[in-house]
Amino acid sequence: VQFAPLSVPLQRRLQTASVVQWVFSFLSLAQCCTIAYIALFFTRFWLVSALYTVWWIIDREKPSKGGRRIHALRNSVIWRYMRDYFPITLVKTADLDPRQNYLMGFHPHGILAAGAFVNFCTEASGFSTLFPGITPHLMMLSLWFRIPFLRDCLMSGGLVSSDKESASYVLQKPEGGNVLAIVVGGAQEALDARPGSCTLLLKNRKGFVRLAIEHGTPLVPIFSFGENDLFEQVRNPKGSWLRWLQHRLQQIMGISLPLFHARGIFQYSFGLVPYRRPIFTVVGKPIPVQRKHRPSEEEVDRVHQKYLNELCKLFEEHKAKYNIPEDRHLEFI
């Protein structure tokens, strides 16, 4: 039996629906999971939460031990609709040896790191086809893995907690074939994410470089063109009361709260749905790193500078293809 292909308007509605679901569902899912977990204790289904609590205790270290991916969820059709909404394209510039492990630095964070999620937590952009024999892991704040039920959803896509123990577990696997992707700028960089911005919070971010040296893991720079173009952000220059408040909340909660807006579901003037603007995530060439258990500051600085140079080179070589003005360059803060 053959089914007629979906009409273009219907495809677009499905794409928009999938992105709307992604934008709005994460925080609401976290809240719903927490409320459901607690509420079940006061119903006749209390045993569900009780058993889950036991499972949670037994399984508490899993987010730091490589997670638990579910391929059926990574291959879900909803992620392909999400990919096509922007669209998102993963671009390979060099092969990766499946006998080695790699540490990838993803830039920029953007508001919601859409490119990082689609490319590394789903198969919508064809990661396994482009890099056969390589298993991707994307780091995420450990805070989210403390939420019941949600932690299992996150791990199903290949997300792992963002702590040194978790990173070391992936990078020291002797069989190789593992990639650890880190959005280096993190939540703080999201506060500078706005269309046309090429500012990266990277000048003093050296922990990932030290980690690569300690494990002798090649570094792979990634620049995601268009990542900052998905949302407008309320003006928050350094020194303003809004920026001060956002920094304080980040210090307390561990997450930043950028005030962003874009388009609506049925209109294009205002809303929280991201703009339909293409994202091209370009994966650079591996940078060899010599292993040393306790690298000195000078050694870390040297490798860090080499990484910055390679990232700039990657940006300059590809910016013309993705409509970046010739006079625009990366700025490190």
Side-chain angles (χ1 to χ4, degrees), residues 138-157:
L138 179 64
M139 301 197 84
M140 189 177 193
L141 283 174
S142 303
L143 166 71
W144 301 112
F145 294 96
R146 299 171 188 165
I147 299 175
F149 304 123
L150 177 63
R151 64 187 294 277
D152 301 282
C153 296
L154 297 176
M155 286 192 290
S156 69

Side-chain angles (χ1 to χ4, degrees), residues 22 45 51 60 75 150 161 169 213 279 322:
W22 175 67
F45 301 106
L51 292 175
R60 64 186 180 278
N75 284 284
L150 177 63
S161 61
Y169 182 88
I213 296 174
I279 297 174
Y322 308 121

